[in-house]
Amino acid sequence: MLESVSAMPESLIDIARKLNVAPSTVSRAISAPDKVAAKTRQKILNYIKETGYHPNISARNLRKQQSKTIGIVVNDLCDSLIAQAANIMQDIAFKRGYFPVLLSTDESRTKERESIERLLVLNVCGVVIIPSSTTASLLDHFNHIPVVELDRSTSTCKNDEFRMDDTAAMQMATSYLKEQGCKHLSVIFGNIDRISSFKSRHLALLNCSQELEYNSYFIKGVNAQDLIDGARKLTNTIIESNKNFSVEEPGSDLNKEVAQLLLESSDNPAKITGQNPIDGFIAANHSIAAGIVQGFYDQGLEVNKDLKVFTFDNPDWISILPYKMPSLTHPLVKAADLAINRLIDRIEHKYSDNVEARLLRPQLCVDKSSQA
């Protein structure tokens, strides 16, 4: 529980009293052991080892009336794009004279809470975080320092935000597929209750071209493997339904059964309204795209030849495919650069304007030779 953070660990004074030495001796035994007599030093270090004591960095920073420590909390360091963004933020923090503490939540609510607790104990002077749906209340504990939200939003309007323009992104994706002759699309999202970027992309879809028919599907999982597995399962089921559409009338009893199968296979589908076989997929992130591609392999289909597939994030693995897949480049690296610099500018009082939600436009990445 966050409330327990105020119960600080045993202090140097407590250790000094128990070992009958001066507090300064304990401090030197930790920071400059060569300046303490061997017997005394060993007694102190043995006690520290037995009790699991760690120096109170928070108290040390308070005595100096400042902290040069910055918290960077991301969701998945196994994701190459996230890792690249984290690396850039660390480099910039070091160059500007700060010590970054990088933590990964792995999309776990427990890890996210523990990360916040650790940063509170460290008395960080600012935080950049990729938030989840539960982050907003946790960030209230940082009301005395600047916080910047990266890639996602808590929708509290309390902190600076730097993220992709999801409305523009979804419009670019649907417009491209429309130009390629698609009319009936399956759009697969992750958990919109936990991940704000999926939610905003789904809302953006509602404002896209009404000339296209959309079927939206949602995967409850939040980590990369859950998204891949869920998208693979959905893709297999959707493609199976497509085969039946080709031999049965759209309103037949068989296709009603297929629609029910889709309903059962999807964790939380918004609608199953399609009256026609689909001719394209949109993956709301690259993990979902990986699952869709695996589903195609399962079904013996070829991306873009049999059905179109469009993905967000332009993942690295696209380059090794035997075909080209249209995608949107994610501006996360640029957003990370802006986020960490904004954080430090606020810490140093170089920027004091109202909080800003900066939306960065993605770029369309397609192979023009493969366009219809």
Side-chain angles (χ1 to χ4, degrees), residues 7-9 25 27 32 36 64 77 130 171 306 326 349 359:
M8 303 303 293
T25 302
S27 179
V36 180
K64 294 180 179 179
L77 283 173
I130 298 180
Q171 289 175 344
D306 295 299
H349 306 291
L359 303 181

Side-chain angles (χ1 to χ4, degrees), residues 6-27 30 44 47-48 51-60 63:
S6 59
M8 303 303 293
E10 191 173 31
S11 69
L12 290 176
I13 295 175
D14 294 329
I15 295 174
R17 185 181 299 115
K18 289 185 178 181
L19 298 181
N20 196 28
V21 297
S24 59
T25 302
V26 178
S27 179
I30 296 172
I44 293 171
Y47 180 84
I48 288 174
T51 60
Y53 169 79
H54 293 283
N56 191 334
I57 299 173
S58 177
R60 185 183 303 165
R63 287 196 299 272

Side-chain angles (χ1 to χ4, degrees), residues 206-221:
L206 303 179
N207 296 316
C208 290
S209 174
Q210 296 303 305
E211 297 178 33
L212 301 179
E213 179 185 73
Y214 308 106
N215 284 299
S216 298
Y217 305 96
F218 304 90
I219 300 167
K220 287 182 179 179

Side-chain angles (χ1 to χ4, degrees), residues 5 11 47 62 112 114 153 214 217 235 239 241 263 269 298 336 338 342:
V5 172
S11 69
Y47 180 84
L62 287 172
E112 184 177 52
E114 290 174 349
S153 172
Y214 308 106
Y217 305 96
T235 300
I239 291 176
S241 76
L263 184 66
D298 293 340
L338 293 170
R342 171 63 57 82

